[in-house]
């Protein structure tokens, strides 16, 4: 058991760009996939800690719309890992009352992967203690574009009658995440300082934290350091401090 840690203010929604699996493996002369396996272990650790601290929403960037350009060998191995671990972890998600959600262009995923994900999201859909969202085959420009297309279609069909209803909240309801609040805190590992097409709309006012730690090495103590940093942030949302 760990000593109880008190945070002055915690993000309600934590998003992570889990980067650096390949470099972690390369540093050890291992295949990239070994890094991805350790990356899954790191995600499991993260969830254990976020549940311990009481962070209700976690979103993890697991596979981008651009990652399809990687070798067939890597993409196939990633899809197999995804299938294996969703099946393996489903009882744990249920036991911990975690609602699993997927955002992204899932039509591009292999049929077998899609089926396993649909089954797991369905079986956990009644839970609302915690929410784990996996961003898979996810690209934010694609997401925003598809929202715009759907709105145009609904307008044409007469489902949207008045263009004045197309306000920010209304637009956001057409994005993949739907009812999930915007992330308060975004962590990117591996030292890259960019967002790589992740949640461009949703992170407008998110606090961002970059760490050189490679994702497979990221553990409870790294999360605590990041959350302690979050505590020091002053979120003004454009307003002036008095
Ligand atoms: C992140 O690690 C996981 C995925 C993008 C699937 P990378 O595979 O991008 O690892 P690096 O960036 O090559 O080290
Ligand atoms: C972003 O990492 C996507 C995921 C972590 C799943 P990448 O490794 O694909 O990003 P770039 O290519 O370094 O921007
Ligand atoms: Mg990378």
């Amino acid at each position: 058991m760990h000593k109880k840690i008190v945070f002055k203010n915690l993000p309600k929604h934590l998003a992570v760009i889990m980067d650096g699996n390949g470099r972690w493996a390369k540093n050890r002369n291992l295949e990239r996939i070994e890094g991805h396996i350790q990356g899954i272990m790191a995600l499991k650790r993260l969830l254990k800690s976020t549940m311990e601290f009481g962070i209700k929403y976690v979103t993890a960037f697991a596979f981008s719309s651009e990652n399809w350009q990687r070798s067939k060998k890597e993409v196939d191995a990633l899809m197999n890992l995804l299938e294996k671990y969703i099946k393996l972890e489903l009882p744990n998600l249920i036991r911990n009352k975690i609602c699993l959600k997927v955002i992204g262009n899932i039509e591009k995923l292999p049929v077998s992967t899609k089926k396993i994900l649909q089954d797991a999201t369905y079986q956990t859909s009644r839970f609302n203690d915690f929410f784990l969202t996996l961003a898979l085959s996810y690209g934010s420009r694609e997401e925003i574009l598809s929202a715009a297309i759907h709105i145009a279609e609904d307008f044409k069909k007469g489902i949207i009658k008045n263009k004045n209803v197309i306000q920010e909240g209304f637009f956001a309801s057409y994005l993949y995440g739907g009812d999930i609040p915007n992330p308060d805190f975004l962590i990117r590992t591996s030292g890259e300082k960019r967002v790589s097409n992740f949640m461009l709309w949703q992170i407008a006012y998110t606090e961002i934290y970059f760490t050189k730690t490679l994702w497979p090495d990221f553990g409870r103590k790294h999360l605590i350091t990041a959350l302690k940093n979050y505590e020091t942030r002053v979120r003004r949302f454009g307003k002036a401090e008095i």
Side-chain angles (χ1 to χ4, degrees):
M1 262 313 268
H2 292 289
K3 206 169 92 212
K4 189 165 162 55
I5 305 207
V6 184
F7 295 96
K8 282 197 281 292
N9 59 319
L10 275 171
K12 186 174 169 193
H13 181 177
L14 169 70
V16 279
I17 301 179
M18 312 185 287
D19 198 15
N21 297 353
R23 277 161 283 171
W24 184 93
K26 192 164 181 253
N27 291 344
R28 289 164 179 75
N29 280 318
L30 297 169
E31 296 260 2
R32 293 181 62 82
I33 197 67
E34 296 296 329
H36 296 315
I37 294 172
Q38 291 312 312
I40 293 173
M41 298 306 142
L43 179 58
K44 283 184 62 174
R45 279 200 301 273
L46 180 86
L47 275 180
K48 233 175 135 177
S49 301
T50 52
M51 285 193 295
E52 176 194 340
F53 302 150
I55 297 174
K56 197 176 174 82
Y57 297 89
V58 172
T59 297
F61 200 5
F63 191 84
S64 77
S65 50
E66 289 76 24
N67 289 151
W68 290 113
Q69 298 168 66
R70 294 191 180 189
S71 72
K72 182 170 164 18
K73 184 182 167 200
E74 184 171 352
V75 171
D76 287 352
L78 275 167
M79 294 303 144
N80 286 333
L81 274 184
L82 188 64
E83 290 188 15
K84 179 179 163 187
Y85 279 96
I86 294 292
K87 270 197 261 181
L88 206 63
E89 294 300 325
L90 183 58
N92 291 333
L93 293 174
I94 293 172
R95 186 165 46 83
N96 289 304
K97 297 195 165 60
I98 301 173
C99 173
L100 177 73
K101 289 180 180 282
V102 177
I103 55 171
N105 187 352
I106 55 163
E107 289 312 314
K108 283 178 100 173
L109 296 173
V111 180
S112 53
T113 316
K114 215 165 61 179
K115 269 185 84 170
I116 288 168
L117 286 167
Q118 277 163 348
D119 178 56
T121 50
Y122 176 72
Q123 288 204 50
T124 59
S125 58
R126 65 184 185 279
F127 300 127
N128 57 13
D129 286 27
F130 296 101
F131 292 85
L132 169 64
T133 304
L134 293 179
L136 288 169
S137 184
Y138 176 90
S140 194
R141 286 189 172 174
E142 200 175 271
E143 172 184 38
I144 293 168
L145 191 58
S146 107
I149 292 168
H150 281 133
I151 289 173
E153 282 170 354
D154 284 355
F155 193 78
K156 205 170 160 203
K157 284 184 207 152
I159 298 168
I160 301 169
K161 292 187 179 61
N162 182 343
K163 74 175 181 356
N164 295 334
V165 303
I166 311 172
Q167 304 284 327
E168 286 186 11
F170 182 86
F171 189 90
S173 73
Y174 279 79
L175 298 172
Y176 297 136
D179 43 359
I180 295 173
N182 291 329
D184 302 292
F185 197 35
L186 169 64
I187 297 174
R188 182 173 189 152
T189 56
S190 90
E192 309 298 350
K193 294 190 179 70
R194 52 177 172 262
V195 292
S196 301
N197 202 10
F198 184 57
M199 299 192 115
L200 300 180
W201 173 284
Q202 297 88 337
I203 63 171
Y205 265 106
T206 299
E207 297 295 328
I208 306 185
Y209 179 86
F210 296 106
T211 170
K212 284 196 176 132
T213 305
L214 301 175
W215 177 250
D217 290 325
F218 195 87
R220 187 174 181 274
K221 76 168 200 282
H222 302 92
L223 179 66
I224 293 170
T225 307
L227 292 172
K228 285 285 166 194
N229 185 287
Y230 178 80
E231 271 187 343
T232 68
R233 308 284 180 103
V234 182
R235 303 185 75 187
R236 273 183 288 273
F237 299 97
K239 294 173 196 145
E241 267 179 283
I242 311 155

